Amino acid sequence: MKFIQGLQKLNFPKEEIERLKPLMDTYINELLLFNSAYNLVNTNDREEIIVRHLLDSLSACHKIQELVQQKEGQVTIADIGSGGGLPGIPLAAALPDCNFLLIERMSKRCAFLENAAALLGLKNVQVKNLELEKTPAASIDIAVFRAFRPLDKKMLKSLLAVLKEDGILAAYKAKRSKILEEMGALNYSENDYKIIPLEVPFLTDTKSGDDRERNLVLIPRANG
C-alpha cells in the first residue's frame, strides 16, 4: 500500500502504478531472498526498502524522463555501480522505451541483476560485468548513480569519460550543503551544474531528522 501511495504522491498515472506495482513486488521479493548472500541493500525491512530504495530511485524518474525527451533517437541510460539494481531496475521498469545498462563490477551481483531483469521481463536492460574505468568511452547518454562515496577528481573523470559529448551525469545525493562543498572541491562553480530537490514520499516529507534531504545533481559532460 505504501508503494502505491508513494507513486501517487510522485504523480504517476493510475495505469502506470497498476503496471509497476506487481513488478516492484517481485523485485522486492528477490532483494529480500538474496540480500544476505549478496549484500544488496542495507536492510531486510520491506517498508524501508520501499521508501529508502524504490521510492527514492523513482523520485527522479520524471526529471530523467525530461532529460531523455531533450535528446534525439534511442537513449542509453547507465546505472553505474548498480549493486542490487538501484536506481536502474525501478527506472528501467518505469521507462520501458529507454535502453538501460546496469554496470556492476561484482560478478555475483551481476548474476542477481540478470535474474531480476529476466523475472520482471525488462527487455530494455543489459547487465555489464565491468569496472567503470573499462566501460567504453563516449557510449552513454545519461549516467545515473546512487550511494557513491563523495566524488573525487579521478572518479569524476572516469564518469565523464563514458558519456557522449552531450551526455549528462545524474547523481542521487543528500544535503545541498554537502553537494556544494563536494563540487567546490572539484573546482566546479554553481553555474556548472544543477541541484534539483527531490521529494521522496515518507522520507523527505516527514519533519524528524535532517538526514532525509535528497537532491539530484545534474553535471553535463560539456562542463567537465
Side-chain angles (χ1 to χ4, degrees), residues 86-99:
L86 297 156
I89 283 183
L91 288 175
L95 300 171
D97 294 332
C98 297
N99 290 327

Side-chain angles (χ1 to χ4, degrees), residues 142-162:
I142 300 168
V144 298
F145 55 94
R146 181 175 179 267
F148 257 25
R149 62 185 183 272
L151 280 173
D152 57 35
K153 289 183 180 181
K154 182 181 175 184
M155 179 69 70
L156 183 60
K157 183 179 178 181
S158 297
L159 285 164
L160 293 173
V162 306

Side-chain angles (χ1 to χ4, degrees), residues 137-138 160-169 188 219-224:
L160 293 173
V162 306
L163 292 174
K164 295 178 183 177
E165 197 170 314
D166 63 345
I168 193 162
L169 300 180
Y188 271 70
I219 310 171
R221 176 177 175 173
N223 290 340

